[in-house]
Amino acid sequence: MAKVIEGLYYSESHEYVRVEGNIGFVGITDYAQHALGNVVYVDMPEVDDEVSAGEEFGAVESVKAASDLISPVTGVVIEVNEDLEDQPELVNQDAYENWIIKVTLADKSELDNLMDAKAYAAFCEK
């Protein structure tokens, strides 16, 4: 069973957002990294790029497949996880510690459209 953490918000495309104040840390879930297998490349946007909820912002490539990253929230990228440029496998080691982008949230009410841990765990079991 993939790890699901309480207090995060989850999307049906298997991204999560951890919210601290007005900042969202966006990454892929443990379920997603298991499904992908060994991650070999993470394509990330640039700092100051805008991301929109439900829109692609990058991609994760593994030995098995490439998967688009879909932003769970709208906002402006304030930081990318540069560690993933040289060590994309960090996503496999701990998907929740190794977020992909950090964004300033444009509209926190968008979080209401995402699943909590319990709903996401049930979604993954389907």
Side-chain angles (χ1 to χ4, degrees):
M1 177 67 192
K3 183 166 72 171
V4 178
I5 295 182
E6 291 288 334
L8 303 183
Y9 298 88
Y10 298 89
S11 69
E12 289 188 2
S13 53
H14 303 288
E15 286 84 14
Y16 69 84
V17 59
R18 182 177 85 232
V19 177
E20 293 181 8
N22 203 36
I23 305 298
F25 296 77
V26 178
I28 65 169
T29 66
D30 194 49
Y31 179 92
Q33 72 82 15
H34 276 293
L36 282 165
N38 293 334
V39 174
V40 294
Y41 180 70
V42 181
D43 179 34
M44 297 176 276
E46 302 286 323
V47 170
D48 293 332
D49 282 0
E50 291 185 14
V51 295
S52 299
E55 301 286 318
E56 179 187 336
F57 72 87
V60 175
E61 294 178 21
S62 72
V63 291
K64 290 199 275 190
S67 181
D68 289 340
L69 293 167
I70 308 298
S71 185
V73 292
T74 300
V76 175
V77 178
I78 56 172
E79 190 176 336
V80 297
N81 188 343
E82 292 179 358
D83 292 343
L84 300 179
E85 290 174 6
D86 298 324
Q87 297 177 287
E89 69 277 3
L90 289 171
V91 171
N92 295 120
Q93 291 170 18
D94 190 333
Y96 298 114
E97 281 300 312
N98 293 290
W99 49 270
I100 296 171
I101 58 172
K102 202 186 287 189
V103 299
T104 302
L105 301 173
D107 181 1
K108 286 179 94 167
S109 72
E110 287 179 338
L111 299 170
D112 298 340
N113 302 327
L114 300 171
M115 293 176 273
D116 63 13
K118 185 176 177 184
Y120 181 69
F123 175 78
C124 290
E125 286 175 11
K126 287 181 185 168

